[in-house]
Every structure is written in structure tokens, then in C-alpha cells.
Amino acid sequence: MKKVKQIRVSKPFDLLSEELVFIILDLISPNSSDLKSFSLTCKWFYQLESKHRRSLKPLRSDYLPRILTRYRNTTDLDLTFCPRVTDYALSVVGCLCGPTLHSLDLSRSGSFSAAGLLRLAVKCVNLVEIDLSNATEMRDADAAVVAEARSLERLKLGRCKMLTDMGIGCIAVGCKKLNMVSLKWCVGVGDLGVGLLAVKCKDIRTLDLSYLPITGKCLHDILKLQHLEELLLEGCFGVDDDSLKSLRHDCKSLKKLDASSCQNLTHKGLTSLLSGAACLQRLDLAHCSSVISLDFASSLKKVSALQSIGLDGCSVTPDGLKAIGTLCNSLKEVSLSKCVSVTDEGLSSLVMKLKDLRKLDITCCRKLSGVSITQIANSCPLLVSLKMESCSLVSREAFWLIGQKCRLLEELDLTDNEIDDEGLKSISSCLSLSSLKLGICLNITDKGLSYIGMGCSNLRELDLYRSVGITDVGISTIAQGCIHLETINISYCQDITDKSLVSLSKCSLLQTFESRGCPNITSQGLAAIAVRCKRLAKVDLKKCPSINDSGLLALAHFSQNLKQINVSDTAVTEVGLLSLANIGCLQNIAVVISSGLSPSGVAAALLGCGGLRKAKLHASLRSLLPLSLIHHLEARGCAFLWKDNTLQAELDPKYWKQQLEEIVP
């Protein structure tokens, strides 16, 4: 028998083609630590990872020359971690990225001027998207430089309050390929500038004009745009019935209209606005001044294909809701959050018409009872999201129906409700549930939580804020059954100990951990989470008196993705605080009350955390820290919030909830 010749490979990686390695990189790219480990395997992997990566989010602008020299194929550059981006930094971006760069985010950066933007526009000729939101010092001269980026398609200028019609006019003339523009809170821009955009940039699909001092005058030109799909007019007080009287349009491309907080817009003006929008799918009228009555609902006749409507904070009548259900029976999303006038009669008449309803928000609709929940459960079997925080009149029995009838639920908010363990047992039948909020649910215990742990294996978010009946036993069942958990809030669950934290350490995808006011957890439990939960990004340890420096040392060593931490009123000293400087992406830190801290220790820690964006400190430190240090940190992009908090006794949830019910009718 002929022997098969065996091929010995001295370097196994030589068998991999570049295409195969790129496929591997696509699969591990969501995890930055995995990418780092991969690139350090060998020189070839290092080179391929550099060649493959297209998106970058550096922690500091000082690193840009070195990073961009390595990653020469960068198309998307996000500098939101870099509060201070100078003209030199933008020049580096322009020279090293050049025509390759397509997208740049400077929405949380400052310190650059027109000179830097000009170098960027000249070098990056294929730049199609730039976010300059929050550039509060940006003026018309800077806008004229932005206009040199002729290939721009998406531009965000939110809160650029110094811009005027002249600057927007320059952009309109220079950037004719724009299809998405955001001018939210650009309070210096009026009808003239917006009108110029509409006349010059014919390809606009999305336009955000929220909180601009415009009137209905510019809407005549805007609604002539043949490709317009989204128009946001939130808080535009100048858009009123009088300015819309003569409005006639045929904008069949419009799919989304946000007219929330337009206080001077009634059903008359809305009728004009919707007259030609026959294909409208999403309408937001939250916090409008008009009562949503039968007359108001009649303005929706022309948009019978509507799929989503937002009426948050509006005064709603039963007849109005019934009419909406009749005229727009294809609705899939309805938001009635904080509509205090909604009754069982009105909501029932609405949902019984909406057989395809997928999302419903009835947060703080305090007049609703089990009658509404019964109608929702029987009429809307396709629901995937139900938010009903503080619907305190709903009886325990009604929650059983939700689990039995709405088994496709993915998001459920039952904060401050009367649900008990039997209700949770029923809800555990919702196998697709990914977000469950049970804050201030005083009737649930470990038994009910065990049903969720056994039935809802896809759970990603769990909120147990002040649900005082929960102990380590319940948390253990969640950790065992919900291994994909990313966010958990156990604040003020005072029976929780380190056993819960050790159990939760098995949830390796955990990103947000909130345990405020848990006196029985210690640094030993925190260390267990830090060691095994590498993606941890947000930690709240306020009022956990047994958390000390050893816990923070563990976080500093193992939690390199940590962005936000609160260690107020803990046993942490300057040693633990200084160790946090080892975390490169730390942005927010709060340490309002801590007896173990000295001004010099705080100063050293703040200086060490180079990417810090916000520091919440006790007001007494304001006079003790050097003024030059505060100015230096502010110039680096750090905002200070000084709090003068005094220790307050924590009230029993049952007691303060009872007090609230006596105050609120």
C-alpha cells in the first residue's frame, strides 16, 4: 500500500490566507482586547490587523501621529474621547489619512479653529461625514471653511449657537451633496439660512431644525425637497397655525415628522403640515399644547398609513384615542408616557383597534387599572415592548395575563408596580425578554426572580432598584440562567452580599454594575467582578462603606474598559483613587464624600486620569484645590460639578412610596 506523504509545516499560520485572517478579524472586532491579543500573536498578524482596521476611537489626540501611521486605511475616525483636538492634530489627521478618511466625529472636542478645519477639508477630499456638534465657539468664518469639503453628505452642527444664516448659506453653496443636516439648537439660524439649504441642497433626506427660531415661511421650500424623508421641528415655537395657513405641498417622500413641543401648533396647523404627507410613517407630537381630542385626531385622516405616534405629556381624551385607533389602525408604536388624563376607556378603545401593535409606552398613566392591561393582553399579542412604570392601580392578577398573552415581549418596564412572584412566573414565559425593569417592586422575592432566571436566558438588562425583597439567592439564579447579562442594578437591595457579586462574575459580558446603598458588599466581591467581567464600563458604588482601596486596585488592573465610576461615601482613600489613572478610557468620576481623601491626593488622581471629561467632587474641595490645576483640567476638557451633599438617612421604600401616594392624586 502506497504511503501518504505527510507535509510538515514549521509555521502553521503560513496556511492561512489574508482573506481568511480578515474573516477572523471581522468576527472578533467587537472586542478591543481580543483584537489587541490577536495583533500581538506574531508580526504578520500585527501587520494584517493594521491593514484590516477601518474604524478608530483613540483615547487621546496626542496618540494620533503614532496610531494613524500604523492604521493607514482608516475610514472612520471618532475623536469623542479627545476633549482637546488642536489644529496640529487635525493637520496630522489630514496628512496621514488623506483621501481615505470618510467620517470624522468631533462632537465632544474643542480647541480647533478654522485653520485646522481648512487643512482637513483640503487633504481629506473624500470626507462625506463630519460631526461638529457642541462647537459653541464656531462662527460663520469656520462654516465657510467647512464649505470647502465639497464631498460632504452628512453634517451635524448641533448647538453651534454662534452660527448665523450667512454661515449656513456658505455651506449650502459649497456642499451641494448634503443629504443629512442637523442644526439643532443653532439659535442664530433663521428662515433665510434654512431656506438656502432647501434651495441649494436638493438631495437632503434628513433635516433637524429643532429649537430654531424659524416660522412656517421656510417650510414652503423645505417641503418641496423631493427626497426629504425625516423632518425634525421639535421646540420650534415660531411654527404656528398662522404661518402654515397657506402651506400647500405634496411631499410624498416624507416618512418621519417630529413636531414635539411646538407649543403654538394646533390641529389646524397640523392639518396643513400633513396635507401632502400621504406616506408619513412616524409622527411625534409630544408635549404639544393642544388637547388630543376628536377634532385633533381628524387631522390624521391624510396619514392613514402611520405606523408610530408619540403623544407623551399631552392631554388626551377618550374620544381622541378612539378616533386615532379608527383612522390609523396600522399603528405599530404608540407612546403615551406621562399622559395623566388617559383612562381605561380611552386606552381600551385605542388598543382594541391596533392588532399589529408592537410597542406601547404608558409610563406614569396613573389612572389606568387592570382593565387596560387585560385589553392590551387580549388585543396585542405581537407586543415586543411594554413600558408601564408607576401604573400603581393595576392589580397583581393583571400581570399574569401579560406573560400568558404577550409572549413575544423583549422589553418590559414594570418599575413601581404591584407585581408579585406569580406575575414573574407568568412573565418568565416570554423567552425573548432582553430588558426587564423591576425597580421599587416591593412584592417580589427570590422565588419570583428564580422563575426569570430559569425562563429568560436572553436577558441583557435587569433593574432591581430598591426591590428590597431580593437577596443573594435570587441574584444567584439570575447569574446562572442569564449568562448574557450586560446591565444590572441592585441599588439599595440591602440584603445583597459578596455572594451575589461572585455569582454575577460568571456573566462575562457585564458592562454596567450599579450597587449603590448596598452596605454588605465589600472589595472582595468587587474584585471577583473586575477579574472576570472584562467589558465593565460603568460602576456605581456610592454608599457602599465596605468598598476600599483593594477593590479599586482590582478595577484598575483588570477593568481597562471602565468609563464611569462613583465612589462617593466609601472607604476609598487617595491610594485607590490614584490607581484609577491606570485606566486610559476613564471619563467620569464621582467622589463627593470620602473621609480618606486629601486635596493633594485628589489633585494627583485628577491629573493622572488624562481622558477625564467630568469630575463630581465635594464643594469643600473647590477652595482647597489650586486654581491653576482646575483651569488646566478644564482646558484639557474636564468639567467640574461641585456638590454640597450632607449625609441623609435612607428611608424605607414602603414608607416614602406611601408618602408619595398621599401627595400625588
Side-chain angles (χ1 to χ4, degrees):
M1 186 175 177
K2 192 175 180 181
K3 292 183 179 180
V4 178
K5 193 174 182 180
Q6 293 184 347
I7 301 174
R8 292 186 179 181
V9 180
S10 59
K11 297 180 180 180
F13 292 151
D14 289 346
L15 296 176
L16 294 174
S17 67
E18 190 172 287
E19 291 77 11
L20 281 174
V21 176
F22 282 0
I23 292 173
I24 294 170
L25 286 168
D26 286 336
L27 294 172
I28 67 172
S29 58
N31 193 326
S32 58
S33 60
D34 288 347
L35 279 176
K36 184 176 180 180
S37 299
F38 182 93
S39 65
L40 295 176
T41 304
C42 63
K43 288 184 178 180
W44 187 52
F45 276 16
Y46 182 89
Q47 292 169 358
L48 287 182
E49 195 273 331
S50 301
K51 186 177 179 181
H52 173 268
R53 189 179 292 200
R54 297 289 185 272
S55 301
L56 289 177
K57 193 173 183 178
L59 299 177
R60 300 184 189 179
S61 59
D62 302 342
Y63 301 158
L64 284 173
R66 187 171 59 184
I67 293 173
L68 294 177
T69 299
R70 176 183 173 185
Y71 296 104
R72 301 306 293 260
N73 295 324
T74 301
T75 58
D76 304 305
L77 183 59
D78 185 344
L79 297 178
T80 53
F81 278 168
C82 307
R84 192 168 184 269
V85 178
T86 62
D87 290 340
Y88 170 73
L90 290 183
S91 179
V92 168
V93 172
C95 291
L96 295 179
C97 292
T100 307
L101 192 66
H102 293 165
S103 171
L104 178 63
D105 191 340
L106 292 166
S107 60
R108 295 190 175 184
S109 307
S111 302
F112 56 85
S113 68
L117 290 174
L118 181 59
R119 291 171 195 158
L120 193 71
V122 170
K123 295 287 185 179
C124 303
V125 293
N126 294 321
L127 192 67
V128 296
E129 179 177 4
I130 187 167
D131 190 343
L132 294 168
S133 301
N134 303 308
T136 52
E137 298 301 316
M138 186 175 178
R139 298 176 182 272
D140 292 338
D142 305 298
V145 169
V146 173
E148 296 298 319
R150 308 294 185 186
S151 299
L152 269 187
E153 295 178 11
R154 296 180 293 278
L155 176 62
K156 295 181 181 179
L157 296 170
R159 293 187 182 275
C160 294
K161 298 183 178 181
M162 304 298 289
L163 285 181
T164 70
D165 292 332
M166 184 178 294
I168 298 302
C170 292
I171 290 173
V173 172
C175 306
K176 295 184 179 180
K177 294 182 180 180
L178 283 172
N179 59 51
M180 192 284 288
V181 181
S182 174
L183 299 175
K184 186 174 184 178
W185 281 111
C186 292
V187 293
V189 178
D191 288 330
L192 178 59
V194 173
L196 280 170
L197 267 180
V199 171
K200 296 292 184 180
C201 305
K202 299 292 187 180
D203 293 329
I204 288 182
R205 285 174 166 76
T206 300
L207 187 58
D208 188 349
L209 305 175
S210 300
Y211 299 99
L212 263 61
I214 59 171
T215 67
K217 181 180 178 181
C218 66
L219 294 181
H220 290 264
D221 292 323
I222 291 171
L223 292 173
K224 290 178 183 177
L225 292 168
Q226 295 182 0
H227 305 291
L228 186 65
E229 295 179 0
E230 296 185 14
L231 178 60
L232 288 76
L233 300 171
E234 179 183 357
C236 292
F237 300 132
V239 177
D240 55 19
D241 294 347
D242 289 338
S243 63
L244 296 175
K245 272 183 181 178
S246 60
L247 182 64
R248 298 290 182 272
H249 71 93
D250 188 25
C251 192
K252 292 180 180 178
S253 61
L254 192 63
K255 295 178 181 178
K256 177 181 177 180
L257 174 63
D258 184 348
S260 58
S261 300
C262 289
Q263 297 293 327
N264 299 316
L265 187 66
T266 71
H267 70 278
K268 295 178 181 178
L270 187 63
T271 300
S272 300
L273 204 52
L274 300 178
S275 61
C279 297
L280 194 70
Q281 296 178 5
R282 304 179 67 86
L283 177 62
D284 194 344
L285 300 172
H287 307 292
C288 66
S289 57
S290 291
V291 176
I292 309 299
S293 60
L294 188 60
D295 290 337
F296 196 100
S298 64
S299 62
L300 304 178
K301 287 180 180 178
K302 298 285 182 70
V303 288
S304 57
L306 202 64
Q307 294 185 13
S308 173
I309 189 167
L311 300 172
D312 300 345
C314 294
S315 180
V316 183
T317 67
D319 287 343
L321 287 179
K322 184 177 180 180
I324 290 173
T326 302
L327 294 170
C328 307
N329 55 19
S330 60
L331 279 170
K332 293 182 179 179
E333 299 179 18
V334 175
S335 186
L336 299 169
S337 175
K338 299 180 182 178
C339 292
V340 294
S341 58
V342 172
T343 62
D344 288 332
E345 178 191 354
L347 187 63
S348 297
S349 64
L350 172 67
V351 298
M352 68 190 332
K353 302 276 188 180
L354 306 179
K355 302 300 181 183
D356 290 330
L357 192 65
R358 307 297 171 88
K359 295 184 179 182
L360 178 62
D361 189 348
I362 49 174
T363 298
C364 295
C365 294
R366 300 181 186 275
K367 293 182 179 180
L368 298 180
S369 70
V371 174
S372 292
I373 304 305
T374 301
Q375 190 64 61
I376 291 169
N378 289 326
S379 302
C380 309
L382 300 179
L383 267 185
V384 295
S385 174
L386 176 60
K387 298 179 181 179
M388 49 177 293
E389 177 183 347
S390 298
C391 294
S392 51
L393 294 182
V394 177
S395 63
R396 300 182 187 186
E397 294 73 24
F399 295 102
W400 183 85
L401 272 176
I402 294 175
Q404 293 302 306
K405 301 285 188 178
C406 305
R407 297 200 172 190
L408 299 179
L409 278 172
E410 298 174 7
E411 180 182 21
L412 183 58
D413 187 349
L414 301 176
T415 304
D416 190 17
N417 273 289
E418 296 299 318
I419 189 172
D420 59 9
D421 292 341
E422 287 302 309
L424 289 181
K425 183 179 181 180
S426 177
I427 287 167
S428 67
S429 301
C430 303
L431 303 182
S432 299
L433 199 64
S434 61
S435 175
L436 178 60
K437 296 186 178 181
L438 299 169
I440 326 177
C441 291
L442 308 181
N443 300 317
I444 64 172
T445 67
D446 294 333
K447 182 180 179 182
L449 213 55
S450 68
Y451 295 129
I452 299 297
M454 290 185 288
C456 304
S457 60
N458 291 314
L459 201 65
R460 298 291 196 278
E461 178 184 11
L462 179 62
D463 187 351
L464 297 168
Y465 174 83
R466 288 192 185 272
S467 292
V468 293
I470 302 302
T471 70
D472 294 332
V473 177
I475 299 299
S476 177
T477 58
I478 290 294
Q480 288 177 9
C482 309
I483 59 173
H484 302 296
L485 199 67
E486 296 176 359
T487 299
I488 189 165
N489 187 346
I490 52 174
S491 297
Y492 300 105
C493 296
Q494 299 195 349
D495 292 330
I496 297 294
T497 71
D498 283 345
K499 291 181 180 179
S500 290
L501 276 63
V502 172
S503 298
L504 288 170
S505 69
K506 299 172 186 175
C507 303
S508 59
L509 301 180
L510 196 66
Q511 297 178 26
T512 299
F513 175 69
E514 298 183 62
S515 61
R516 178 181 297 204
C518 293
N520 297 317
I521 67 171
T522 71
S523 292
Q524 187 175 354
L526 181 60
I529 286 183
V531 169
R532 300 186 67 178
C533 303
K534 304 292 187 183
R535 299 188 181 186
L536 205 60
K538 177 183 177 183
V539 175
D540 188 348
L541 303 167
K542 183 178 180 180
K543 297 185 180 178
C544 296
S546 298
I547 295 294
N548 55 31
D549 293 337
S550 61
L552 264 63
L553 287 167
L555 285 174
H557 184 72
F558 295 104
S559 303
Q560 288 301 305
N561 291 313
L562 194 66
K563 295 180 178 65
Q564 182 175 336
I565 188 169
N566 189 337
V567 289
S568 299
D569 196 16
T570 62
V572 169
T573 71
E574 53 202 46
V575 174
L577 208 60
L578 276 167
S579 70
L580 296 178
N582 189 50
I583 305 174
C585 58
L586 189 65
Q587 290 184 299
N588 293 355
I589 187 169
V591 52
V592 177
I593 303 174
S594 186
S595 57
L597 293 175
S598 67
S600 59
V602 172
L606 293 175
L607 277 172
C609 298
L612 212 58
R613 301 301 306 270
K614 182 189 290 186
K616 186 186 292 187
L617 305 173
H618 196 273
S620 61
L621 284 171
R622 190 169 194 171
S623 58
L624 299 176
L625 292 175
L627 192 60
S628 57
L629 170 71
I630 295 175
H631 288 162
H632 170 73
L633 292 171
E634 287 177 338
R636 214 165 65 175
C638 180
F640 286 91
L641 186 59
W642 307 98
K643 305 290 285 186
D644 188 14
N645 290 6
T646 55
L647 285 171
Q648 296 178 349
E650 292 298 329
L651 291 174
D652 182 272
K654 293 181 181 178
Y655 173 73
W656 62 258
K657 184 180 176 183
Q658 211 171 33
Q659 280 195 325
L660 185 65
E661 288 173 350
E662 290 174 1
I663 296 170
V664 180

